[in-house]
Amino acid sequence: MAVQTFKASAHLQQGMVVKAKSRNFEITIDEPAYLGGTDTGMNPVELVLCALGACQSIVARVYAGKFNIKLDDFRVELEGDLDTDGFMNKSDVRRGYSDIRYNIYIKTDASQEQVEQFISFIERTCPVGDTIANEVNVQLNRIIIEE
């Protein structure tokens, strides 16, 4: 399959609430109250963790059969360390996550060796993991001032 272009939009609402859309789906993004939001949705960095866990889960579902893995259950629990002083310009630290850790819980009758090979494959194959772990060319195309 050739390169596919995925599209999304993010529209700022009242306060820090953002309506994000992609295809026919919309989610509400906000900050917790202690960071100045109204806590009506996950914040963007929480969504990054969710995207990573969801991507690994989808890769697991798509490739389980190839590895002869019967998935009775699969979940990923994630946490990340982010120094908010970077975003608040209080110090010269990285603005994004410095560390992300996760545990994969899998219920299967497969052997330990099969599961380890499968999980290794998931880590190598997950597009979100690859996006986080490697540099991506991010560029602003243009600024459009609307009347």
Side-chain angles (χ1 to χ4, degrees):
M1 194 181 294
V3 171
Q4 293 190 16
T5 300
F6 294 88
K7 296 182 179 184
S9 67
H11 188 181
L12 183 63
Q13 308 294 299
Q14 287 292 109
M16 293 188 198
V17 174
V18 174
K19 296 291 183 182
K21 295 180 182 181
S22 184
R23 294 185 288 133
N24 296 317
F25 303 97
E26 179 179 277
I27 60 171
T28 299
I29 301 168
D30 194 6
E31 290 290 337
Y34 72 90
L35 291 176
T38 56
D39 204 25
T40 58
M42 288 183 271
N43 71 19
V45 294
E46 290 166 331
L47 284 168
V48 168
L49 295 177
C50 289
L52 177 58
C55 188
Q56 291 175 334
S57 298
I58 291 168
V59 172
R61 177 68 73 208
V62 169
Y63 287 99
K66 183 176 182 175
F67 284 81
N68 295 316
I69 301 279
K70 180 178 172 250
L71 288 180
D72 294 320
D73 195 23
F74 187 95
R75 80 176 186 278
V76 184
E77 294 186 3
L78 309 97
E79 62 184 14
D81 300 328
L82 188 143
D83 188 336
T84 57
D85 282 354
F87 171 71
M88 303 302 285
N89 289 313
K90 293 181 179 178
S91 70
D92 194 25
V93 297
R94 180 177 179 174
R95 286 161 170 76
Y97 283 117
S98 58
D99 294 285
I100 294 174
R101 295 169 300 283
Y102 57 92
N103 293 317
I104 293 177
Y105 297 82
I106 183 170
K107 186 175 182 183
T108 183
D109 58 3
S111 71
Q112 180 76 29
E113 183 180 342
Q114 281 179 291
V115 170
E116 287 175 3
Q117 289 175 355
F118 181 51
I119 299 302
S120 178
F121 175 82
I122 290 169
E123 290 182 301
R124 291 190 315 272
T125 306
C126 171
V128 174
D130 178 76
T131 300
I132 294 169
N134 297 290
E135 188 173 331
V136 176
N137 181 25
V138 179
Q139 67 182 40
L140 171 66
N141 284 328
R142 62 183 182 210
I143 299 170
I144 299 163
I145 300 175
E146 299 179 323
E147 292 184 31

Short mmCIF file of all heavy atoms in Angstrom, two decimals, residues 14-65:
data_model
loop_
_atom_site.label_atom_id
_atom_site.label_comp_id
_atom_site.label_asym_id
_atom_site.label_seq_id
_atom_site.Cartn_x
_atom_site.Cartn_y
_atom_site.Cartn_z
N GLN A 14 -14.17 27.70 24.12
CA GLN A 14 -14.03 28.54 25.31
C GLN A 14 -12.90 28.01 26.19
O GLN A 14 -12.72 26.79 26.31
CB GLN A 14 -15.33 28.54 26.11
CG GLN A 14 -16.45 29.34 25.47
CD GLN A 14 -16.16 30.81 25.46
OE1 GLN A 14 -15.90 31.36 24.39
NE2 GLN A 14 -16.18 31.47 26.59
N GLY A 15 -12.17 28.90 26.83
CA GLY A 15 -11.09 28.50 27.72
C GLY A 15 -10.06 27.66 26.98
O GLY A 15 -9.57 28.05 25.94
N MET A 16 -9.75 26.49 27.53
CA MET A 16 -8.77 25.60 26.90
C MET A 16 -9.41 24.41 26.20
O MET A 16 -8.72 23.50 25.77
CB MET A 16 -7.79 25.11 27.96
CG MET A 16 -6.92 26.21 28.51
SD MET A 16 -5.66 25.50 29.55
CE MET A 16 -5.16 26.95 30.44
N VAL A 17 -10.73 24.43 26.08
CA VAL A 17 -11.43 23.33 25.43
C VAL A 17 -11.16 23.38 23.93
O VAL A 17 -11.23 24.44 23.30
CB VAL A 17 -12.94 23.38 25.71
CG1 VAL A 17 -13.69 22.33 24.91
CG2 VAL A 17 -13.22 23.22 27.20
N VAL A 18 -10.84 22.22 23.37
CA VAL A 18 -10.59 22.09 21.94
C VAL A 18 -11.47 20.96 21.41
O VAL A 18 -11.56 19.89 22.02
CB VAL A 18 -9.10 21.76 21.67
CG1 VAL A 18 -8.86 21.49 20.20
CG2 VAL A 18 -8.20 22.89 22.16
N LYS A 19 -12.12 21.20 20.28
CA LYS A 19 -12.85 20.15 19.57
C LYS A 19 -11.93 19.66 18.46
O LYS A 19 -11.57 20.42 17.56
CB LYS A 19 -14.16 20.68 18.98
CG LYS A 19 -15.16 21.14 20.02
CD LYS A 19 -15.71 19.98 20.81
CE LYS A 19 -16.77 20.47 21.80
NZ LYS A 19 -17.30 19.41 22.62
N ALA A 20 -11.53 18.41 18.55
CA ALA A 20 -10.65 17.82 17.56
C ALA A 20 -11.45 16.87 16.69
O ALA A 20 -12.28 16.10 17.20
CB ALA A 20 -9.50 17.08 18.24
N LYS A 21 -11.23 16.94 15.38
CA LYS A 21 -11.99 16.12 14.44
C LYS A 21 -11.05 15.40 13.48
O LYS A 21 -10.03 15.95 13.07
CB LYS A 21 -12.96 16.98 13.62
CG LYS A 21 -14.04 17.64 14.41
CD LYS A 21 -14.95 18.46 13.52
CE LYS A 21 -16.01 19.18 14.33
NZ LYS A 21 -16.90 19.96 13.47
N SER A 22 -11.46 14.19 13.12
CA SER A 22 -10.81 13.44 12.06
C SER A 22 -11.87 12.53 11.46
O SER A 22 -12.63 11.89 12.22
CB SER A 22 -9.63 12.63 12.60
OG SER A 22 -8.95 11.99 11.53
N ARG A 23 -11.92 12.49 10.17
CA ARG A 23 -12.99 11.78 9.46
C ARG A 23 -14.34 12.23 10.02
O ARG A 23 -14.62 13.42 10.02
CB ARG A 23 -12.78 10.26 9.54
CG ARG A 23 -11.53 9.81 8.81
CD ARG A 23 -11.36 8.31 8.76
NE ARG A 23 -11.00 7.77 10.06
CZ ARG A 23 -11.58 6.70 10.62
NH1 ARG A 23 -12.50 6.02 9.96
NH2 ARG A 23 -11.19 6.28 11.81
N ASN A 24 -15.17 11.32 10.49
CA ASN A 24 -16.49 11.69 11.01
C ASN A 24 -16.54 11.64 12.53
O ASN A 24 -17.61 11.47 13.12
CB ASN A 24 -17.56 10.74 10.44
CG ASN A 24 -17.68 10.87 8.95
OD1 ASN A 24 -17.67 11.98 8.42
ND2 ASN A 24 -17.79 9.76 8.25
N PHE A 25 -15.38 11.78 13.18
CA PHE A 25 -15.31 11.63 14.63
C PHE A 25 -14.82 12.91 15.27
O PHE A 25 -14.00 13.63 14.70
CB PHE A 25 -14.37 10.47 14.99
CG PHE A 25 -14.79 9.17 14.36
CD1 PHE A 25 -14.20 8.73 13.20
CD2 PHE A 25 -15.80 8.41 14.92
CE1 PHE A 25 -14.59 7.55 12.60
CE2 PHE A 25 -16.21 7.23 14.34
CZ PHE A 25 -15.60 6.79 13.17
N GLU A 26 -15.33 13.17 16.48
CA GLU A 26 -14.94 14.37 17.21
C GLU A 26 -14.69 14.00 18.67
O GLU A 26 -15.42 13.19 19.24
CB GLU A 26 -16.04 15.42 17.13
CG GLU A 26 -15.71 16.69 17.91
CD GLU A 26 -16.81 17.72 17.79
OE1 GLU A 26 -16.83 18.46 16.79
OE2 GLU A 26 -17.64 17.79 18.72
N ILE A 27 -13.65 14.58 19.24
CA ILE A 27 -13.40 14.42 20.67
C ILE A 27 -13.19 15.78 21.28
O ILE A 27 -12.78 16.74 20.61
CB ILE A 27 -12.19 13.49 20.97
CG1 ILE A 27 -10.90 14.05 20.34
CG2 ILE A 27 -12.44 12.08 20.50
CD1 ILE A 27 -9.65 13.31 20.77
N THR A 28 -13.45 15.87 22.57
CA THR A 28 -13.21 17.09 23.33
C THR A 28 -11.90 16.92 24.09
O THR A 28 -11.69 15.93 24.77
CB THR A 28 -14.36 17.34 24.33
OG1 THR A 28 -15.57 17.50 23.58
CG2 THR A 28 -14.10 18.59 25.16
N ILE A 29 -11.04 17.91 23.94
CA ILE A 29 -9.75 17.91 24.62
C ILE A 29 -9.74 19.12 25.54
O ILE A 29 -10.22 20.20 25.18
CB ILE A 29 -8.60 17.99 23.58
CG1 ILE A 29 -8.67 16.80 22.63
CG2 ILE A 29 -7.25 18.06 24.28
CD1 ILE A 29 -7.78 16.92 21.41
N ASP A 30 -9.21 18.96 26.73
CA ASP A 30 -9.18 20.04 27.71
C ASP A 30 -8.00 19.78 28.65
O ASP A 30 -7.32 18.76 28.54
CB ASP A 30 -10.50 20.05 28.49
CG ASP A 30 -10.73 21.32 29.31
OD1 ASP A 30 -9.93 22.27 29.21
OD2 ASP A 30 -11.73 21.36 30.05
N GLU A 31 -7.77 20.68 29.53
CA GLU A 31 -6.75 20.51 30.56
C GLU A 31 -7.45 20.28 31.89
O GLU A 31 -8.58 20.73 32.10
CB GLU A 31 -5.87 21.76 30.66
CG GLU A 31 -4.95 21.98 29.47
CD GLU A 31 -3.82 20.97 29.39
OE1 GLU A 31 -3.44 20.37 30.42
OE2 GLU A 31 -3.28 20.78 28.29
N PRO A 32 -6.77 19.58 32.80
CA PRO A 32 -7.35 19.44 34.14
C PRO A 32 -7.44 20.82 34.81
O PRO A 32 -6.72 21.75 34.44
CB PRO A 32 -6.38 18.52 34.87
CG PRO A 32 -5.17 18.40 34.02
CD PRO A 32 -5.50 18.90 32.66
N ALA A 33 -8.30 20.93 35.80
CA ALA A 33 -8.50 22.20 36.49
C ALA A 33 -7.20 22.74 37.07
O ALA A 33 -6.94 23.95 37.00
CB ALA A 33 -9.56 22.03 37.58
N TYR A 34 -6.34 21.86 37.60
CA TYR A 34 -5.10 22.35 38.22
C TYR A 34 -4.12 22.92 37.19
O TYR A 34 -3.17 23.60 37.55
CB TYR A 34 -4.44 21.26 39.07
CG TYR A 34 -3.79 20.13 38.32
CD1 TYR A 34 -2.46 20.19 37.94
CD2 TYR A 34 -4.51 19.00 37.98
CE1 TYR A 34 -1.86 19.16 37.24
CE2 TYR A 34 -3.93 17.95 37.29
CZ TYR A 34 -2.60 18.04 36.92
OH TYR A 34 -2.01 17.02 36.22
N LEU A 35 -4.39 22.71 35.88
CA LEU A 35 -3.57 23.33 34.84
C LEU A 35 -4.34 24.42 34.09
O LEU A 35 -3.94 24.84 33.01
CB LEU A 35 -3.07 22.26 33.84
CG LEU A 35 -2.04 21.29 34.39
CD1 LEU A 35 -1.70 20.22 33.35
CD2 LEU A 35 -0.77 22.02 34.84
N GLY A 36 -5.46 24.86 34.68
CA GLY A 36 -6.21 25.99 34.12
C GLY A 36 -7.37 25.62 33.23
O GLY A 36 -8.04 26.50 32.69
N GLY A 37 -7.64 24.35 33.04
CA GLY A 37 -8.76 23.92 32.20
C GLY A 37 -10.01 23.69 33.01
O GLY A 37 -10.10 24.05 34.18
N THR A 38 -11.00 23.09 32.36
CA THR A 38 -12.26 22.77 33.02
C THR A 38 -12.47 21.27 33.16
O THR A 38 -13.54 20.83 33.56
CB THR A 38 -13.45 23.40 32.25
OG1 THR A 38 -13.41 22.94 30.89
CG2 THR A 38 -13.39 24.91 32.29
N ASP A 39 -11.48 20.49 32.80
CA ASP A 39 -11.48 19.04 32.99
C ASP A 39 -12.65 18.34 32.28
O ASP A 39 -13.26 17.43 32.81
CB ASP A 39 -11.47 18.70 34.49
CG ASP A 39 -10.89 17.32 34.76
OD1 ASP A 39 -10.09 16.83 33.94
OD2 ASP A 39 -11.23 16.72 35.79
N THR A 40 -12.95 18.78 31.05
CA THR A 40 -14.03 18.17 30.28
C THR A 40 -13.53 17.10 29.31
O THR A 40 -14.32 16.52 28.57
CB THR A 40 -14.83 19.23 29.49
OG1 THR A 40 -13.95 19.92 28.62
CG2 THR A 40 -15.52 20.20 30.43
N GLY A 41 -12.24 16.86 29.29
CA GLY A 41 -11.67 15.84 28.42
C GLY A 41 -10.22 15.62 28.75
O GLY A 41 -9.63 16.35 29.56
N MET A 42 -9.65 14.62 28.14
CA MET A 42 -8.21 14.37 28.31
C MET A 42 -7.43 15.53 27.71
O MET A 42 -7.92 16.22 26.80
CB MET A 42 -7.80 13.08 27.60
CG MET A 42 -8.30 11.83 28.27
SD MET A 42 -7.70 10.33 27.43
CE MET A 42 -9.00 10.12 26.23
N ASN A 43 -6.21 15.72 28.21
CA ASN A 43 -5.37 16.75 27.60
C ASN A 43 -4.53 16.12 26.48
O ASN A 43 -4.48 14.89 26.34
CB ASN A 43 -4.56 17.52 28.64
CG ASN A 43 -3.44 16.71 29.27
OD1 ASN A 43 -2.99 15.69 28.76
ND2 ASN A 43 -2.97 17.17 30.41
N PRO A 44 -3.88 16.94 25.66
CA PRO A 44 -3.15 16.39 24.51
C PRO A 44 -2.07 15.37 24.87
O PRO A 44 -1.91 14.37 24.16
CB PRO A 44 -2.53 17.64 23.87
CG PRO A 44 -3.45 18.75 24.23
CD PRO A 44 -3.92 18.42 25.63
N VAL A 45 -1.36 15.58 25.97
CA VAL A 45 -0.30 14.62 26.30
C VAL A 45 -0.86 13.31 26.82
O VAL A 45 -0.26 12.24 26.64
CB VAL A 45 0.77 15.22 27.25
CG1 VAL A 45 1.52 16.36 26.54
CG2 VAL A 45 0.16 15.71 28.54
N GLU A 46 -2.05 13.35 27.44
CA GLU A 46 -2.72 12.11 27.83
C GLU A 46 -3.17 11.36 26.57
O GLU A 46 -3.10 10.13 26.50
CB GLU A 46 -3.91 12.42 28.73
CG GLU A 46 -3.51 12.92 30.10
CD GLU A 46 -4.64 13.55 30.88
OE1 GLU A 46 -5.58 14.12 30.28
OE2 GLU A 46 -4.58 13.49 32.13
N LEU A 47 -3.62 12.11 25.57
CA LEU A 47 -4.02 11.48 24.32
C LEU A 47 -2.85 10.80 23.62
O LEU A 47 -3.03 9.78 22.95
CB LEU A 47 -4.67 12.51 23.39
CG LEU A 47 -6.08 12.91 23.75
CD1 LEU A 47 -6.53 14.12 22.95
CD2 LEU A 47 -7.04 11.75 23.51
N VAL A 48 -1.65 11.36 23.76
CA VAL A 48 -0.47 10.71 23.19
C VAL A 48 -0.29 9.33 23.82
O VAL A 48 -0.03 8.35 23.12
CB VAL A 48 0.79 11.58 23.38
CG1 VAL A 48 2.06 10.81 23.06
CG2 VAL A 48 0.71 12.84 22.52
N LEU A 49 -0.41 9.25 25.14
CA LEU A 49 -0.30 7.96 25.81
C LEU A 49 -1.39 7.00 25.33
O LEU A 49 -1.12 5.83 25.04
CB LEU A 49 -0.38 8.13 27.34
CG LEU A 49 0.74 8.90 28.01
CD1 LEU A 49 0.46 9.05 29.51
CD2 LEU A 49 2.09 8.26 27.77
N CYS A 50 -2.61 7.51 25.24
CA CYS A 50 -3.71 6.67 24.76
C CYS A 50 -3.47 6.20 23.33
O CYS A 50 -3.75 5.04 23.00
CB CYS A 50 -5.03 7.44 24.83
SG CYS A 50 -5.63 7.72 26.50
N ALA A 51 -2.95 7.08 22.49
CA ALA A 51 -2.68 6.71 21.10
C ALA A 51 -1.64 5.60 21.04
O ALA A 51 -1.77 4.66 20.24
CB ALA A 51 -2.21 7.93 20.30
N LEU A 52 -0.61 5.68 21.86
CA LEU A 52 0.41 4.64 21.88
C LEU A 52 -0.18 3.30 22.32
O LEU A 52 0.02 2.27 21.67
CB LEU A 52 1.58 5.04 22.79
CG LEU A 52 2.69 4.00 22.96
CD1 LEU A 52 3.30 3.60 21.61
CD2 LEU A 52 3.76 4.53 23.91
N GLY A 53 -0.93 3.31 23.41
CA GLY A 53 -1.54 2.07 23.90
C GLY A 53 -2.54 1.50 22.92
O GLY A 53 -2.60 0.28 22.70
N ALA A 54 -3.35 2.36 22.30
CA ALA A 54 -4.33 1.90 21.32
C ALA A 54 -3.64 1.32 20.10
O ALA A 54 -4.05 0.27 19.57
CB ALA A 54 -5.25 3.05 20.92
N CYS A 55 -2.58 1.96 19.65
CA CYS A 55 -1.84 1.48 18.48
C CYS A 55 -1.24 0.10 18.75
O CYS A 55 -1.35 -0.82 17.93
CB CYS A 55 -0.76 2.48 18.10
SG CYS A 55 0.07 2.10 16.54
N GLN A 56 -0.62 -0.07 19.89
CA GLN A 56 -0.06 -1.37 20.24
C GLN A 56 -1.15 -2.43 20.32
O GLN A 56 -0.96 -3.57 19.88
CB GLN A 56 0.71 -1.28 21.56
CG GLN A 56 1.98 -0.47 21.45
CD GLN A 56 2.67 -0.27 22.78
OE1 GLN A 56 2.04 -0.29 23.84
NE2 GLN A 56 3.97 -0.05 22.74
N SER A 57 -2.30 -2.06 20.85
CA SER A 57 -3.42 -2.99 20.95
C SER A 57 -3.93 -3.41 19.58
O SER A 57 -4.22 -4.59 19.33
CB SER A 57 -4.56 -2.37 21.76
OG SER A 57 -4.13 -2.08 23.08
N ILE A 58 -4.03 -2.46 18.67
CA ILE A 58 -4.49 -2.75 17.31
C ILE A 58 -3.48 -3.63 16.58
O ILE A 58 -3.85 -4.59 15.90
CB ILE A 58 -4.79 -1.45 16.55
CG1 ILE A 58 -6.03 -0.78 17.16
CG2 ILE A 58 -4.96 -1.70 15.05
CD1 ILE A 58 -6.28 0.64 16.70
N VAL A 59 -2.20 -3.33 16.73
CA VAL A 59 -1.16 -4.17 16.12
C VAL A 59 -1.28 -5.59 16.66
O VAL A 59 -1.18 -6.58 15.91
CB VAL A 59 0.26 -3.60 16.34
CG1 VAL A 59 1.33 -4.57 15.87
CG2 VAL A 59 0.42 -2.26 15.61
N ALA A 60 -1.51 -5.72 17.95
CA ALA A 60 -1.67 -7.04 18.57
C ALA A 60 -2.82 -7.79 17.92
O ALA A 60 -2.70 -8.97 17.56
CB ALA A 60 -1.88 -6.91 20.07
N ARG A 61 -3.95 -7.13 17.77
CA ARG A 61 -5.12 -7.77 17.17
C ARG A 61 -4.85 -8.18 15.72
O ARG A 61 -5.18 -9.29 15.30
CB ARG A 61 -6.33 -6.83 17.24
CG ARG A 61 -7.57 -7.37 16.58
CD ARG A 61 -8.18 -8.56 17.30
NE ARG A 61 -8.81 -8.11 18.53
CZ ARG A 61 -8.94 -8.87 19.61
NH1 ARG A 61 -8.50 -10.10 19.64
NH2 ARG A 61 -9.51 -8.40 20.69
N VAL A 62 -4.24 -7.30 14.95
CA VAL A 62 -4.01 -7.57 13.53
C VAL A 62 -3.05 -8.73 13.32
O VAL A 62 -3.23 -9.55 12.42
CB VAL A 62 -3.49 -6.29 12.82
CG1 VAL A 62 -2.98 -6.59 11.42
CG2 VAL A 62 -4.59 -5.22 12.78
N TYR A 63 -2.01 -8.84 14.17
CA TYR A 63 -0.95 -9.82 13.93
C TYR A 63 -0.97 -11.04 14.85
O TYR A 63 -0.12 -11.91 14.72
CB TYR A 63 0.42 -9.14 14.03
CG TYR A 63 0.70 -8.26 12.83
CD1 TYR A 63 0.50 -6.89 12.89
CD2 TYR A 63 1.16 -8.81 11.64
CE1 TYR A 63 0.75 -6.08 11.79
CE2 TYR A 63 1.41 -8.02 10.55
CZ TYR A 63 1.21 -6.65 10.62
OH TYR A 63 1.45 -5.86 9.53
N ALA A 64 -1.91 -11.12 15.76
CA ALA A 64 -1.93 -12.25 16.70
C ALA A 64 -1.95 -13.59 15.97
O ALA A 64 -1.21 -14.52 16.32
CB ALA A 64 -3.13 -12.14 17.64
N GLY A 65 -2.76 -13.72 14.95
CA GLY A 65 -2.85 -14.97 14.21
C GLY A 65 -1.55 -15.38 13.55
O GLY A 65 -1.19 -16.56 13.51
#
